[in-house]
Amino acid sequence: MKKGFILIVISLLFGCSEIPSNGVAKTSGTTDQIPVELVEVIDGDTIKVKYNGNIEKIRYLLVDTPETNHQTLGKQPYGEEAKVRNKELLNSGDVTIEFDVGNRFDDYDRMLAYIYVDGVSVQETLLEEGLARVAYVFPPNTRYLDMFENASEFAKDAQIGVWETNNYVTSRGFNASIMEDSNELVTESPGKCEIKGNINRQGKKIYHIRGGKYYEQTNPEEWFCSEQEAQNAGYKKSGE
């Protein structure tokens, strides 16, 4: 009787994590956010933090951003933008991480986690701003898959960031060659006209003004010298 009671207590105390026979750490269904100290931003989806007194490399769960310095892929379009935005977000508040219920480490010994700044999901923000794609979906680490896919669809419909050029985003990553071959987009402003006009996949005409949330990520199909000119051409302001 005493032995059974002790086993129950131990189970309650240590049931939040386990080390299976293969040595891969797993976690339970807790959604607790654990404070960590940011050490380094490696790229758009990988960072180093101080966790439990150790320096750990963390790979963001369920997202993938273009490479910045890959040994074979090199530097991909929007890789640097994703890294810069990631760093900007992480430096704007308190960083916390959350584990899912599956493996806590990948094959490269990188910790797998959801990342937050002041409680706001960094992954969701990168997806919504068109700087990442949903990828590396390995159940049961899929807690926020639906939320992330919705954020990605928003960017895809708006044709911002990695979604601006058709077929740049693929099921296997990012195809940089399509960016080099594409002649669909006008990238330089004619004279002093700085308002960017973009047509999304649904045919909706949207214009972006300098300082707007998606201005820097948008490669325009048309340029306008005033908002009135854009409106006369049938465009609506981004965010409306």
Side-chain angles (χ1 to χ4, degrees):
M1 190 72 176
K2 290 184 178 180
K3 182 178 180 181
F5 176 76
I6 292 172
L7 287 174
I8 291 173
V9 172
I10 292 174
S11 177
L12 290 172
L13 289 174
F14 300 100
C16 61
S17 64
E18 58 179 297
I19 303 293
S21 58
N22 62 3
V24 179
K26 294 187 177 183
T27 55
S28 71
T30 178
T31 56
D32 293 343
Q33 292 184 25
I34 306 164
V36 295
E37 179 184 339
L38 179 66
V39 174
E40 179 186 356
V41 175
I42 298 174
D43 55 28
D45 56 35
T46 313
I47 60 176
K48 285 184 180 179
V49 302
K50 182 176 288 187
Y51 168 77
N52 280 351
N54 299 316
I55 303 299
E56 298 282 359
K57 184 181 287 188
I58 295 184
R59 178 65 168 79
Y60 290 13
L61 276 168
L62 299 178
V63 302
D64 180 37
T65 62
E67 301 290 344
T68 56
N69 189 30
H70 194 274
Q71 58 183 0
T72 57
L73 298 174
K75 184 176 182 179
Q76 297 178 312
Y78 293 103
E80 192 61 32
E81 288 89 339
K83 178 180 179 179
V84 169
R85 182 57 173 148
N86 190 28
K87 187 174 184 178
E88 180 181 66
L89 291 168
L90 293 167
N91 286 327
S92 67
D94 295 326
V95 180
T96 55
I97 64 173
E98 175 188 334
F99 299 115
D100 211 322
V101 296
N103 290 347
R104 187 180 292 189
F105 293 89
D106 66 8
D107 293 338
Y108 303 97
D109 292 324
R110 297 176 299 187
M111 189 172 281
L112 301 170
Y114 301 108
I115 314 300
Y116 300 87
V117 174
D118 293 339
V120 178
S121 170
V122 174
Q123 277 116 310
E124 185 180 20
T125 300
L126 292 173
L127 288 165
E128 191 176 66
E129 294 182 2
L131 296 173
R133 70 185 183 105
V134 174
Y136 303 112
V137 180
F138 300 117
N141 282 344
T142 56
R143 180 178 296 150
Y144 299 114
L145 180 58
D146 289 345
M147 183 175 77
F148 289 176
E149 287 181 335
N150 287 337
S152 181
E153 280 300 315
F154 174 85
K156 186 175 181 180
D157 289 342
Q159 285 191 304
I160 56 176
V162 298
W163 300 103
E164 287 174 343
T165 302
N166 290 337
N167 302 317
Y168 175 52
V169 181
T170 75
S171 61
R172 301 181 63 181
F174 302 93
N175 182 7
S177 64
I178 203 73
M179 299 287 280
E180 298 169 1
D181 297 339
S182 175
N183 58 4
E184 298 177 3
L185 303 177
V186 181
T187 58
E188 294 186 3
S189 166
K192 295 183 179 180
C193 300
E194 297 185 334
I195 296 176
K196 297 180 177 182
N198 179 267
I199 304 175
N200 67 18
R201 295 175 187 271
Q202 297 174 337
K204 184 177 180 180
K205 295 182 176 181
I206 303 170
Y207 71 86
H208 305 261
I209 62 173
R210 184 172 293 280
K213 186 175 181 181
Y214 303 113
Y215 185 85
E216 296 301 329
Q217 297 108 291
T218 299
N219 284 329
E221 292 167 305
E222 291 189 61
W223 289 92
F224 300 103
C225 297
S226 69
E227 291 192 58
Q228 188 61 55
E229 182 183 352
Q231 292 165 6
N232 290 342
Y235 286 76
K236 290 186 177 182
K237 190 174 183 180
S238 175
E240 292 183 349

